[in-house]
């Protein structure tokens, strides 16, 4: 199982930017599709963005489209989430996830491995 560690979260003012990183272990990182999810207290874990193993297929939740960018560097075993024009409603714990099989990229249950999460707080 691939191990994932998120970093880059923090406190930022509305309209600002953050870049999250997810470092993955393993020799076969390039075979995993990767996703970012977020969760706030009392709510379901929410899909944010996903990227296929090659980087050729990218999907975003409507709520972040045009503001967030997911990317990956397979040589560095890392996936990124660039977050621009942040809003207070983006405040959440952000989780990186990996999946080896094709499936429903927007479903948390489709992913096999998860990081510990990193807190993003956007102040108004």
């Amino acid at each position: 199982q691939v191990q994932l560690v998120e970093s880059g979260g923090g406190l930022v003012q509305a309209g600002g930017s953050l870049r999250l990183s997810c470092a993955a272990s393993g020799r076969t990182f390039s075979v995993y599709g990767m996703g970012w999810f977020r969760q706030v207290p009392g709510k379901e874990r929410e899909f944010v963005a996903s990227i296929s193993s090659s980087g050729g297929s990218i999907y975003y939740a409507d709520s972040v489209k045009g503001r967030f960018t997911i990317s990956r560097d397979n040589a560095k075993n890392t996936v990124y989430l660039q977050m621009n024009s942040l809003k207070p409603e983006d405040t959440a714990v952000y989780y990186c996830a990996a999946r080896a099989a094709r499936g429903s990229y927007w479903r948390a249950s489709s992913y096999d491995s998860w990081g510990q999460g990193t807190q993003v707080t956007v102040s108004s």
Side-chain angles (χ1 to χ4, degrees), residues 20 35-39 45-50 59-65 68-70 81 83 90 92-95 105-106:
L20 306 183
W36 287 96
F37 289 74
R38 65 189 184 187
Q39 190 167 28
R45 191 163 294 187
E46 176 189 23
F47 170 75
V48 176
S50 70
Y59 303 95
Y60 297 100
D62 288 343
S63 58
V64 307
K65 196 172 298 180
F68 291 11
T69 302
I70 189 171
L81 186 68
M83 305 185 294
D90 295 318
V93 176
Y94 283 71
Y95 296 91
Y105 61 85
W106 63 93

Side-chain angles (χ1 to χ4, degrees), residues 14-94:
S17 297
L18 284 173
R19 186 177 181 88
L20 306 183
S21 297
C22 174
S25 66
R27 299 161 65 89
T28 57
F29 172 74
S30 62
V31 310
Y32 290 93
M34 302 295 296
W36 287 96
F37 289 74
R38 65 189 184 187
Q39 190 167 28
V40 299
K43 296 187 68 177
E44 289 286 312
R45 191 163 294 187
E46 176 189 23
F47 170 75
V48 176
S50 70
I51 186 167
S52 62
S53 58
S54 67
S57 297
I58 293 174
Y59 303 95
Y60 297 100
D62 288 343
S63 58
V64 307
K65 196 172 298 180
R67 300 188 297 121
F68 291 11
T69 302
I70 189 171
S71 61
R72 68 189 297 158
D73 186 339
N74 286 348
K76 296 182 177 179
N77 282 12
T78 303
V79 63
Y80 305 94
L81 186 68
Q82 177 67 47
M83 305 185 294
N84 298 326
S85 302
L86 282 162
K87 304 174 181 179
E89 52 262 45
D90 295 318
T91 295
V93 176
Y94 283 71

Side-chain angles (χ1 to χ4, degrees), residues 10-18 85-92 119-124:
L11 176 64
V12 65
Q13 291 182 326
S17 297
L18 284 173
S85 302
L86 282 162
K87 304 174 181 179
E89 52 262 45
D90 295 318
T91 295
Q119 177 71 46
V120 172
T121 302
V122 184
S123 62
S124 60

